[in-house]
Amino acid sequence: MTAPEVALLGIRHHGPGSARAVAAALAQWRPDAVLIEGPPEADGIVHLAAEKDLVPPVALLAHAVDDPAKAAFWPYAEFSPEWVAIRHAVEHDLPVRFIDLPAGHGFAPAPEEDAEGTAEEGKAVEGTAAEEEDTGPVADPLALLAEAAGHDDAERWWEDVVEHRAPGDDALAPFAAVAEAMGALRAEGLGESRRDLLREAYMRQQIRAARRAGHRRIAVVCGAFHVPALERMPTVAHDRALLAALPKKVRTDITWVPWTHRRLSQATGYGAGVQSPGWYHHLFTTDGDPVPRWLTRAADLLRAEDHPVSSAHVIEAVRLAETLAVLRGRPLAGLTETLDAVRAVLCEGSDVALELVRDRLVVGDALGEVPDAAPAVPLQRDLTRLQRSLRLKPEAAPKDVDLDLRKDTDAARSRLLHRLRLLGVDWGVPARSSVNSTGTFRESWRLCWQPEFAVRIAEAAQWGTTVEEAAANKAVGTARAAGELAELTGLVETCLLAGLSGALPAVMRVLADCAALDTDVAHLAGALPALVRALRYGDVRGTDHGALAEAAAGLAERICVGLPPGCVGLDARGAEAMRGRLDEVHGAIGLLAADPADATAAGSTTADTTAAGTSPDPDGLAGLADRWAAALRSLARREPAGGPATGAPGLLRGRAVRLLLDDGRLDSAEAGRRLRLVLSAANAPADAAGWVEGFLTGGGALLLHDPRLLALLDEWLTGVSGEAFTDVLPLLRRTFAGLEAGVRTTIGGRVAAGPLGEPPAVDAAAGELDRARADAAVPVVALLLGIRPRIPRQAAGRDT
């Protein structure tokens, strides 16, 4: 009996030229077993490659059963040599095995005494792509070979000698040449690491096992760097001694998951560092000259984006790419020459249009598919079921979706997306809608599926077997671990948006306990807006929000009592933060007190204990706005009589006056009196500047409507000393920079025209107002405003 033959096919991962060479070699050599560099745990699911529903790009995902966060991926594209070998084996009904180190060893805790050797193993534990660790050598062997050949660009050299060349008559000859080159590098000891030695020892053991199984022609597809180590077989005892140092394997699950070309292009995280997966896919799948067809696709893309590209442009671009290849001494126009031609001809020198081609064609958004037969945790299966029933297909390209929550399907989609966000799967993120609407029945999302979501779903499986159960349990667990009141109220809002009625009572109990113990008015103020926003969704989503109304009313009452003393002694940073909370609370209380009947009706549906310990009544909610106004008045009077530490900052006092003025609880005369007092010489200029900033935040049109306020401000500013003016200038610049451009221009014109404090003078030469002509414009103006015109009685019968 002849000795078993072994063909070592050294490849470059994700290389289309290597993939074509592997296909030709396997067809010529006809092995009876195929061994592939990869995790042996996948042997049980490799047969799924025969399924038509397993469409690359896909990846093998392995994770520790007890700690799904420890995970690693092995991605494969259609142009990956490993994928070509897998497909050849399953199509010809050949045994196929993975022969790299088991993933379970990489997930095991690293021995403390071997810190140097375990550093690389930690990559897989942290989820770094398996393809990144497969590169192994510290020095890039391709760069060394390219340098020896006189080339300074390793990628271009490899494309010229491998990727752009078709297999010849002897399909094994290229692999022999690559093995010889790698052998020369390994003979010099370049790039070897301890992990490489362990992996190669395990690969040799698997080759021996295939021989013992009776296979006579064994094809081994592995990284070219490993070929010299597999050609020379040391003793079995030698390899066993090496492998004895491996940590004990961790129990591991493995499955197929969809992958994307865009993720392949990323050299960090879960990527594989393939710079141009879309271009490589085109090279592998196109027969004949790939350049004309690729440039035709680029022209179609640019035309779809309204760029004027004709057939003549394509012809000229092909000629330019081929000419550049000849001038640069290349056997075929590569990506560099093709993109140079695209920029010069199709894009007419525009780098913006070129980036579109790079993004859509050079990289691309191809997303693979996985059959239902692939192993999956129950949570993943439930998510797949929901995606199909709700017609939300995962896509790699970003997609904007507008949801109308009054429709059952859209409401269910919204709940699913909010539940997934609670689980850490940000498939959808809230986006600004292209439809202007202030109603609560509309939501806008941007959907973009990422391959690493498979790991997050596996991690979230500990919370439940369905999306709803897992999200509810995660919400309760997060509430119990929350440390701040604002975090809890945000969680309450999320529970309501996600429709987690089962988790809401438990979260509300934690919220009530935390609110009862929290005495910091800043925390209370940060928590109230989320609760009040949540109340607005009750009618649209059909949820019981009685406990929310009670908790919100209780927080509002405590804020009204604690706000004035809570603002005393704040520094500049604290005052700025409190101003934002002040505005948010003002809006929240306005919503909460707008319709006390509805809030009370909601509150009467539950007997839960609230943060305040009492249930709101109609009179209480109706008087909430009055109590809030009283709190603002008290804050506005907190003057720093004995120094800054004895009063509230001017920023907050001025903001309180402005809020009262906007609500009609303070007239312009009183506001002017307060402004005159704060701008008096008795007050520090910095405090006065802060008061002005708070007063004018949100709009400075009132300075135009009431010239007396502008005159007071102008008089104070011109009287400030030079030293004080330098101190307050940044505050004033920030204040007026926040005003509308038209308001700033008009204020400048008023100040330049002077004197201020008097109504603008009327030019006597202009004559009296022509009321007849003014009345004629009334119907048109009323039509523009959408109101019913009111023409003065004396002008009703006048011929205009």
Side-chain angles (χ1 to χ4, degrees), residues 110-134:
E112 294 181 358
E113 66 272 14
D114 189 16
E116 180 180 355
T118 57
E120 287 200 41
E121 293 183 20
K123 286 185 177 180
V125 174
E126 294 299 327
T128 305
E131 291 302 335
E132 288 184 18
E133 66 176 28
D134 284 347

PDB file of all heavy atoms in Angstrom, residues 110-134:
ATOM      1  N   ALA A 110      -6.156  32.412  31.148  1.00  0.00           N
ATOM      2  CA  ALA A 110      -4.738  32.291  30.843  1.00  0.00           C
ATOM      3  C   ALA A 110      -3.951  32.006  32.117  1.00  0.00           C
ATOM      4  O   ALA A 110      -4.209  32.612  33.157  1.00  0.00           O
ATOM      5  CB  ALA A 110      -4.221  33.576  30.196  1.00  0.00           C
ATOM      6  N   PRO A 111      -2.983  31.110  32.074  1.00  0.00           N
ATOM      7  CA  PRO A 111      -2.136  30.850  33.256  1.00  0.00           C
ATOM      8  C   PRO A 111      -1.343  32.095  33.637  1.00  0.00           C
ATOM      9  O   PRO A 111      -0.794  32.771  32.782  1.00  0.00           O
ATOM     10  CB  PRO A 111      -1.208  29.725  32.775  1.00  0.00           C
ATOM     11  CG  PRO A 111      -1.890  29.121  31.589  1.00  0.00           C
ATOM     12  CD  PRO A 111      -2.673  30.234  30.944  1.00  0.00           C
ATOM     13  N   GLU A 112      -1.300  32.394  34.913  1.00  0.00           N
ATOM     14  CA  GLU A 112      -0.622  33.608  35.374  1.00  0.00           C
ATOM     15  C   GLU A 112       0.881  33.549  35.111  1.00  0.00           C
ATOM     16  O   GLU A 112       1.525  34.563  34.861  1.00  0.00           O
ATOM     17  CB  GLU A 112      -0.872  33.807  36.862  1.00  0.00           C
ATOM     18  CG  GLU A 112      -2.317  34.087  37.191  1.00  0.00           C
ATOM     19  CD  GLU A 112      -2.527  34.311  38.677  1.00  0.00           C
ATOM     20  OE1 GLU A 112      -1.532  34.207  39.429  1.00  0.00           O
ATOM     21  OE2 GLU A 112      -3.659  34.579  39.079  1.00  0.00           O
ATOM     22  N   GLU A 113       1.446  32.328  35.127  1.00  0.00           N
ATOM     23  CA  GLU A 113       2.889  32.252  34.958  1.00  0.00           C
ATOM     24  C   GLU A 113       3.314  32.394  33.507  1.00  0.00           C
ATOM     25  O   GLU A 113       4.504  32.414  33.195  1.00  0.00           O
ATOM     26  CB  GLU A 113       3.411  30.921  35.512  1.00  0.00           C
ATOM     27  CG  GLU A 113       2.920  29.698  34.730  1.00  0.00           C
ATOM     28  CD  GLU A 113       1.588  29.174  35.248  1.00  0.00           C
ATOM     29  OE1 GLU A 113       0.938  29.917  36.023  1.00  0.00           O
ATOM     30  OE2 GLU A 113       1.217  28.054  34.903  1.00  0.00           O
ATOM     31  N   ASP A 114       2.342  32.514  32.581  1.00  0.00           N
ATOM     32  CA  ASP A 114       2.693  32.578  31.152  1.00  0.00           C
ATOM     33  C   ASP A 114       2.045  33.788  30.527  1.00  0.00           C
ATOM     34  O   ASP A 114       1.261  33.696  29.608  1.00  0.00           O
ATOM     35  CB  ASP A 114       2.242  31.296  30.452  1.00  0.00           C
ATOM     36  CG  ASP A 114       2.776  31.216  29.015  1.00  0.00           C
ATOM     37  OD1 ASP A 114       3.707  31.973  28.712  1.00  0.00           O
ATOM     38  OD2 ASP A 114       2.257  30.404  28.234  1.00  0.00           O
ATOM     39  N   ALA A 115       2.332  34.962  31.091  1.00  0.00           N
ATOM     40  CA  ALA A 115       1.690  36.179  30.619  1.00  0.00           C
ATOM     41  C   ALA A 115       2.050  36.482  29.185  1.00  0.00           C
ATOM     42  O   ALA A 115       1.234  36.941  28.397  1.00  0.00           O
ATOM     43  CB  ALA A 115       2.091  37.357  31.516  1.00  0.00           C
ATOM     44  N   GLU A 116       3.317  36.194  28.798  1.00  0.00           N
ATOM     45  CA  GLU A 116       3.742  36.533  27.433  1.00  0.00           C
ATOM     46  C   GLU A 116       3.027  35.663  26.410  1.00  0.00           C
ATOM     47  O   GLU A 116       2.576  36.140  25.373  1.00  0.00           O
ATOM     48  CB  GLU A 116       5.255  36.340  27.312  1.00  0.00           C
ATOM     49  CG  GLU A 116       5.781  36.667  25.919  1.00  0.00           C
ATOM     50  CD  GLU A 116       7.274  36.471  25.818  1.00  0.00           C
ATOM     51  OE1 GLU A 116       7.889  36.172  26.866  1.00  0.00           O
ATOM     52  OE2 GLU A 116       7.822  36.599  24.716  1.00  0.00           O
ATOM     53  N   GLY A 117       2.874  34.382  26.716  1.00  0.00           N
ATOM     54  CA  GLY A 117       2.271  33.493  25.734  1.00  0.00           C
ATOM     55  C   GLY A 117       0.787  33.653  25.604  1.00  0.00           C
ATOM     56  O   GLY A 117       0.215  33.292  24.586  1.00  0.00           O
ATOM     57  N   THR A 118       0.125  34.165  26.626  1.00  0.00           N
ATOM     58  CA  THR A 118      -1.332  34.249  26.575  1.00  0.00           C
ATOM     59  C   THR A 118      -1.832  35.575  26.060  1.00  0.00           C
ATOM     60  O   THR A 118      -3.025  35.769  25.928  1.00  0.00           O
ATOM     61  CB  THR A 118      -1.918  34.020  27.980  1.00  0.00           C
ATOM     62  OG1 THR A 118      -1.345  34.997  28.853  1.00  0.00           O
ATOM     63  CG2 THR A 118      -1.608  32.627  28.483  1.00  0.00           C
ATOM     64  N   ALA A 119      -0.955  36.499  25.776  1.00  0.00           N
ATOM     65  CA  ALA A 119      -1.407  37.812  25.310  1.00  0.00           C
ATOM     66  C   ALA A 119      -2.172  37.697  24.015  1.00  0.00           C
ATOM     67  O   ALA A 119      -3.213  38.316  23.838  1.00  0.00           O
ATOM     68  CB  ALA A 119      -0.200  38.740  25.139  1.00  0.00           C
ATOM     69  N   GLU A 120      -1.671  36.847  23.083  1.00  0.00           N
ATOM     70  CA  GLU A 120      -2.372  36.730  21.808  1.00  0.00           C
ATOM     71  C   GLU A 120      -3.657  35.941  21.963  1.00  0.00           C
ATOM     72  O   GLU A 120      -4.639  36.195  21.280  1.00  0.00           O
ATOM     73  CB  GLU A 120      -1.454  36.056  20.789  1.00  0.00           C
ATOM     74  CG  GLU A 120      -0.332  36.962  20.317  1.00  0.00           C
ATOM     75  CD  GLU A 120       0.230  36.481  19.001  1.00  0.00           C
ATOM     76  OE1 GLU A 120      -0.575  36.072  18.152  1.00  0.00           O
ATOM     77  OE2 GLU A 120       1.443  36.507  18.827  1.00  0.00           O
ATOM     78  N   GLU A 121      -3.670  34.931  22.860  1.00  0.00           N
ATOM     79  CA  GLU A 121      -4.898  34.179  23.053  1.00  0.00           C
ATOM     80  C   GLU A 121      -6.002  35.074  23.564  1.00  0.00           C
ATOM     81  O   GLU A 121      -7.172  34.848  23.303  1.00  0.00           O
ATOM     82  CB  GLU A 121      -4.651  33.030  24.033  1.00  0.00           C
ATOM     83  CG  GLU A 121      -3.703  31.975  23.473  1.00  0.00           C
ATOM     84  CD  GLU A 121      -3.538  30.819  24.427  1.00  0.00           C
ATOM     85  OE1 GLU A 121      -4.412  30.657  25.295  1.00  0.00           O
ATOM     86  OE2 GLU A 121      -2.558  30.087  24.311  1.00  0.00           O
ATOM     87  N   GLY A 122      -5.652  36.117  24.303  1.00  0.00           N
ATOM     88  CA  GLY A 122      -6.653  37.037  24.808  1.00  0.00           C
ATOM     89  C   GLY A 122      -7.408  37.741  23.715  1.00  0.00           C
ATOM     90  O   GLY A 122      -8.499  38.232  23.927  1.00  0.00           O
ATOM     91  N   LYS A 123      -6.827  37.811  22.509  1.00  0.00           N
ATOM     92  CA  LYS A 123      -7.536  38.452  21.407  1.00  0.00           C
ATOM     93  C   LYS A 123      -8.854  37.760  21.132  1.00  0.00           C
ATOM     94  O   LYS A 123      -9.892  38.376  20.996  1.00  0.00           O
ATOM     95  CB  LYS A 123      -6.667  38.434  20.136  1.00  0.00           C
ATOM     96  CG  LYS A 123      -5.517  39.422  20.151  1.00  0.00           C
ATOM     97  CD  LYS A 123      -4.829  39.395  18.797  1.00  0.00           C
ATOM     98  CE  LYS A 123      -3.708  40.408  18.727  1.00  0.00           C
ATOM     99  NZ  LYS A 123      -3.046  40.380  17.406  1.00  0.00           N
ATOM    100  N   ALA A 124      -8.789  36.412  21.025  1.00  0.00           N
ATOM    101  CA  ALA A 124     -10.012  35.680  20.731  1.00  0.00           C
ATOM    102  C   ALA A 124     -11.001  35.805  21.869  1.00  0.00           C
ATOM    103  O   ALA A 124     -12.196  35.899  21.652  1.00  0.00           O
ATOM    104  CB  ALA A 124      -9.680  34.212  20.468  1.00  0.00           C
ATOM    105  N   VAL A 125     -10.483  35.819  23.111  1.00  0.00           N
ATOM    106  CA  VAL A 125     -11.373  35.958  24.259  1.00  0.00           C
ATOM    107  C   VAL A 125     -12.122  37.283  24.213  1.00  0.00           C
ATOM    108  O   VAL A 125     -13.298  37.359  24.531  1.00  0.00           O
ATOM    109  CB  VAL A 125     -10.558  35.833  25.561  1.00  0.00           C
ATOM    110  CG1 VAL A 125     -11.429  36.128  26.763  1.00  0.00           C
ATOM    111  CG2 VAL A 125      -9.965  34.439  25.675  1.00  0.00           C
ATOM    112  N   GLU A 126     -11.438  38.340  23.762  1.00  0.00           N
ATOM    113  CA  GLU A 126     -12.071  39.645  23.696  1.00  0.00           C
ATOM    114  C   GLU A 126     -12.912  39.823  22.443  1.00  0.00           C
ATOM    115  O   GLU A 126     -13.512  40.852  22.247  1.00  0.00           O
ATOM    116  CB  GLU A 126     -10.986  40.733  23.740  1.00  0.00           C
ATOM    117  CG  GLU A 126     -10.233  40.788  25.046  1.00  0.00           C
ATOM    118  CD  GLU A 126     -11.137  41.090  26.216  1.00  0.00           C
ATOM    119  OE1 GLU A 126     -12.120  41.824  26.045  1.00  0.00           O
ATOM    120  OE2 GLU A 126     -10.869  40.561  27.312  1.00  0.00           O
ATOM    121  N   GLY A 127     -12.939  38.816  21.569  1.00  0.00           N
ATOM    122  CA  GLY A 127     -13.790  38.907  20.394  1.00  0.00           C
ATOM    123  C   GLY A 127     -13.092  39.406  19.158  1.00  0.00           C
ATOM    124  O   GLY A 127     -13.737  39.694  18.171  1.00  0.00           O
ATOM    125  N   THR A 128     -11.753  39.495  19.154  1.00  0.00           N
ATOM    126  CA  THR A 128     -11.064  39.917  17.951  1.00  0.00           C
ATOM    127  C   THR A 128     -11.211  38.849  16.886  1.00  0.00           C
ATOM    128  O   THR A 128     -11.284  37.667  17.173  1.00  0.00           O
ATOM    129  CB  THR A 128      -9.576  40.156  18.258  1.00  0.00           C
ATOM    130  OG1 THR A 128      -9.496  41.082  19.324  1.00  0.00           O
ATOM    131  CG2 THR A 128      -8.844  40.702  17.054  1.00  0.00           C
ATOM    132  N   ALA A 129     -11.257  39.253  15.634  1.00  0.00           N
ATOM    133  CA  ALA A 129     -11.478  38.317  14.544  1.00  0.00           C
ATOM    134  C   ALA A 129     -10.416  37.247  14.531  1.00  0.00           C
ATOM    135  O   ALA A 129      -9.236  37.484  14.726  1.00  0.00           O
ATOM    136  CB  ALA A 129     -11.480  39.060  13.211  1.00  0.00           C
ATOM    137  N   ALA A 130     -10.844  36.013  14.265  1.00  0.00           N
ATOM    138  CA  ALA A 130      -9.903  34.926  14.171  1.00  0.00           C
ATOM    139  C   ALA A 130      -8.934  35.150  13.037  1.00  0.00           C
ATOM    140  O   ALA A 130      -7.776  34.757  13.099  1.00  0.00           O
ATOM    141  CB  ALA A 130     -10.646  33.609  13.961  1.00  0.00           C
ATOM    142  N   GLU A 131      -9.380  35.816  12.013  1.00  0.00           N
ATOM    143  CA  GLU A 131      -8.497  36.046  10.887  1.00  0.00           C
ATOM    144  C   GLU A 131      -7.345  36.960  11.268  1.00  0.00           C
ATOM    145  O   GLU A 131      -6.278  36.890  10.670  1.00  0.00           O
ATOM    146  CB  GLU A 131      -9.281  36.651   9.723  1.00  0.00           C
ATOM    147  CG  GLU A 131     -10.266  35.677   9.091  1.00  0.00           C
ATOM    148  CD  GLU A 131      -9.590  34.406   8.564  1.00  0.00           C
ATOM    149  OE1 GLU A 131      -8.394  34.447   8.255  1.00  0.00           O
ATOM    150  OE2 GLU A 131     -10.265  33.382   8.474  1.00  0.00           O
ATOM    151  N   GLU A 132      -7.543  37.840  12.239  1.00  0.00           N
ATOM    152  CA  GLU A 132      -6.450  38.699  12.659  1.00  0.00           C
ATOM    153  C   GLU A 132      -5.376  37.888  13.364  1.00  0.00           C
ATOM    154  O   GLU A 132      -4.195  38.065  13.129  1.00  0.00           O
ATOM    155  CB  GLU A 132      -6.956  39.801  13.588  1.00  0.00           C
ATOM    156  CG  GLU A 132      -7.765  40.833  12.858  1.00  0.00           C
ATOM    157  CD  GLU A 132      -8.175  41.952  13.770  1.00  0.00           C
ATOM    158  OE1 GLU A 132      -7.566  42.095  14.836  1.00  0.00           O
ATOM    159  OE2 GLU A 132      -9.100  42.680  13.405  1.00  0.00           O
ATOM    160  N   GLU A 133      -5.779  36.947  14.214  1.00  0.00           N
ATOM    161  CA  GLU A 133      -4.771  36.175  14.897  1.00  0.00           C
ATOM    162  C   GLU A 133      -4.172  35.140  13.970  1.00  0.00           C
ATOM    163  O   GLU A 133      -3.071  34.661  14.184  1.00  0.00           O
ATOM    164  CB  GLU A 133      -5.356  35.507  16.139  1.00  0.00           C
ATOM    165  CG  GLU A 133      -6.412  34.456  15.846  1.00  0.00           C
ATOM    166  CD  GLU A 133      -6.876  33.784  17.114  1.00  0.00           C
ATOM    167  OE1 GLU A 133      -6.822  34.430  18.160  1.00  0.00           O
ATOM    168  OE2 GLU A 133      -7.285  32.624  17.059  1.00  0.00           O
ATOM    169  N   ASP A 134      -4.881  34.778  12.882  1.00  0.00           N
ATOM    170  CA  ASP A 134      -4.327  33.834  11.938  1.00  0.00           C
ATOM    171  C   ASP A 134      -3.115  34.405  11.214  1.00  0.00           C
ATOM    172  O   ASP A 134      -2.330  33.668  10.663  1.00  0.00           O
ATOM    173  CB  ASP A 134      -5.383  33.436  10.901  1.00  0.00           C
ATOM    174  CG  ASP A 134      -6.391  32.471  11.490  1.00  0.00           C
ATOM    175  OD1 ASP A 134      -6.113  31.954  12.579  1.00  0.00           O
ATOM    176  OD2 ASP A 134      -7.444  32.243  10.866  1.00  0.00           O
TER     177      ASP A 134
END
